[in-house]
Amino acid sequence: MAEWGKGDPRWIVEERSDATNVNNWHWTERDVSSWSSERLRLLLLAVRVEGPEGVCQLTDVSKLDGEASINNRKGKLYFFYEWQLRANWLGTSCKDVKYRGTVDVANLSDENDEDDLDISVSLCKDQPETPLLNLMRRTGVKEVRRVLGQYVHQLKSEFSQGMILPTADAPKQPPPEPAQRNQVKTGKTQISPAPTCSSNPAPCPTGVRIQTCSFNLKETFRTTADELYRTFIMQEFVQVFTRSPAAVDGRHGGSFQLLDGNVSGQFTKLVPDRRIEMRWRFRTWPSEHYATVLLELDDRGDETELRMECRGVPAWEEDSTRGGWNRFYFQAIKQTFGY
């Protein structure tokens, strides 16, 4: 027993001025609930399965209750997490009929292995029976189970760095290499930011005159004009083809934000099934600078021709903007919905 006033040496944390912990006998805790919530949403919204019955895609996460934390006790990491979640799915049959349903997971926690997760799939109450339900139960459940396992792996392998302080005897790690400048990385692509006004890396402020350009694109989709129109202005469809959370108010004057907030703007004119006009910008453009985008839809029966005009794009962003629209709008829509 320790003498009065001296304390038990087993509970004394000896820490040096260089922040090393001599025996790593400290207790620290990090709340990772916010990170976990965002990561779970991103992983789930990427779930998409195909089969003879059609295509199913998770469109949004309507319930995500729980918490997660990492504890360091005497140099060992302990992971605690417990989540209950519900995701909505949209299915498109081989006959192009839409169905909606839900996926529920009640026991995502550190006490259960990936194979022990209780995942249930159902149709919404107002939906008729469809073979797509079997597709989700057969293949969709496996994919949901896989991405939830991926969340646990990322939690343990990526987010735990720095939780254990270096010990006095451990070799010092070299400092991390500085991140490359002039690059903005997203989950979908990598785009160089706008040139700066000086050596300061911040984008040019509002009011600075910049050189702009315009370009036109044309694409044909194997669907009707009304279906293609809804694909661009309805949040659930935008989230499906971008495979990420989005906020879209598909009304005149409504705003939108998608691709992890990298794209934003406002609908300035909407002519149902015929024309969409919008103010559109990428996050790295000069502050408050928007391009004008016009989408003309020409219904030709079994297919629709889309003509796009984009004006006011910063000249140095022409190639990336043109390529972005081709890849992350047009091709993504075709690959997702079979248009």
Side-chain angles (χ1 to χ4, degrees):
M1 181 178 295
E3 296 182 20
W4 176 260
K6 292 187 178 181
D8 191 331
R10 293 174 297 174
W11 297 97
I12 297 176
V13 175
E14 183 181 350
E15 192 170 283
R16 299 185 176 182
S17 60
D18 60 358
T20 59
N21 188 334
V22 173
N23 296 313
N24 244 323
W25 276 20
H26 65 303
W27 181 323
T28 59
E29 180 175 344
R30 178 178 296 177
D31 184 0
V32 292
S33 299
S34 178
W35 176 89
S36 294
S37 178
E38 180 179 355
R39 186 55 55 96
L40 283 167
R41 290 181 188 276
L42 290 174
L43 290 171
L44 288 167
L45 290 177
V47 171
R48 180 177 184 272
V49 294
E50 297 183 43
E53 304 90 339
V55 179
C56 294
Q57 168 85 44
L58 297 191
T59 58
D60 65 277
V61 180
S62 57
K63 175 184 177 182
L64 189 55
D65 298 334
E67 59 184 355
S69 63
I70 305 175
N71 287 272
N72 179 357
R73 302 176 187 176
K74 297 185 178 181
K76 294 183 179 180
L77 294 181
Y78 297 86
F79 300 87
F80 301 96
Y81 53 91
E82 185 172 5
W83 297 97
Q84 293 182 349
L85 60 91
R86 167 173 290 181
N88 299 317
W89 58 270
L90 174 67
T92 305
S93 71
C94 55
K95 296 182 179 179
D96 202 31
V97 180
K98 308 292 185 183
Y99 297 87
R100 303 176 191 280
T102 59
V103 177
D104 289 275
V105 182
N107 62 340
L108 176 60
S109 75
D110 54 274
E111 297 180 354
N112 297 313
D113 294 330
E114 180 180 327
D115 294 336
D116 297 329
L117 294 179
D118 182 13
I119 304 174
S120 60
V121 179
S122 60
L123 282 167
C124 293
K125 292 182 179 180
D126 59 343
Q127 299 291 294
E129 288 297 322
T130 170
L132 291 172
L133 181 59
N134 293 329
L135 172 64
M136 281 297 296
R137 288 174 174 171
R138 183 181 70 251
T139 309
V141 167
K142 292 181 181 179
E143 187 64 13
V144 170
R145 194 184 303 277
R146 184 188 68 81
V147 299
L148 294 180
Q150 191 175 352
Y151 154 72
V152 175
H153 174 75
Q154 292 178 3
L155 175 67
K156 294 181 178 181
S157 64
E158 298 179 15
F159 205 78
S160 59
Q161 296 182 11
M163 283 293 293
I164 300 180
L165 296 177
T167 61
D169 299 329
K172 294 185 177 181
Q173 299 295 324
E177 296 182 2
Q180 293 183 359
R181 296 176 60 183
N182 295 332
Q183 288 186 345
V184 175
K185 294 184 178 179
T186 69
K188 302 294 182 181
T189 186
Q190 179 174 317
I191 299 178
S192 297
T196 57
C197 298
S198 63
S199 57
N200 190 330
C204 298
T206 306
V208 175
R209 186 182 298 276
I210 63 173
Q211 183 179 359
T212 63
C213 66
S214 301
F215 63 85
N216 295 277
L217 296 173
K218 185 168 64 174
E219 193 68 49
T220 300
F221 296 85
R222 294 181 297 177
T223 187
T224 59
D226 63 323
E227 189 79 16
L228 186 59
Y229 177 83
R230 291 197 299 270
T231 302
F232 279 99
I233 69 166
M234 292 184 64
Q235 176 171 306
E236 58 188 28
F237 286 99
V238 173
Q239 290 186 143
V240 171
F241 77 75
T242 60
R243 302 192 179 189
S244 63
V248 181
D249 182 0
R251 299 176 294 176
H252 174 78
S255 61
F256 57 84
Q257 188 175 81
L258 53 142
L259 293 172
D260 298 328
N262 287 297
V263 169
S264 60
Q266 182 183 45
F267 296 111
T268 55
K269 185 176 181 180
L270 296 173
V271 181
D273 309 338
R274 293 175 54 192
R275 185 181 180 91
I276 300 172
E277 296 184 16
M278 65 184 87
R279 300 171 68 237
W280 187 98
R281 64 173 273 108
F282 197 81
R283 176 185 285 173
T284 57
W285 289 7
S287 179
E288 297 301 318
H289 180 82
Y290 289 82
T292 299
V293 175
L294 298 86
L295 303 178
E296 294 277 2
L297 309 180
D298 184 7
D299 196 336
R300 298 183 175 182
D302 293 337
E303 63 182 26
T304 300
E305 182 180 86
L306 183 148
R307 296 185 298 275
M308 172 189 172
E309 181 182 359
C310 190
R311 303 194 303 260
V313 176
W316 59 87
E317 292 279 9
E318 178 181 359
D319 290 341
S320 61
T321 304
R322 183 194 299 268
W325 269 89
N326 265 316
R327 180 179 178 186
F328 298 110
Y329 279 90
F330 300 162
Q331 299 307 315
I333 289 173
K334 287 187 173 185
Q335 293 172 5
T336 301
F337 301 110
Y339 296 165

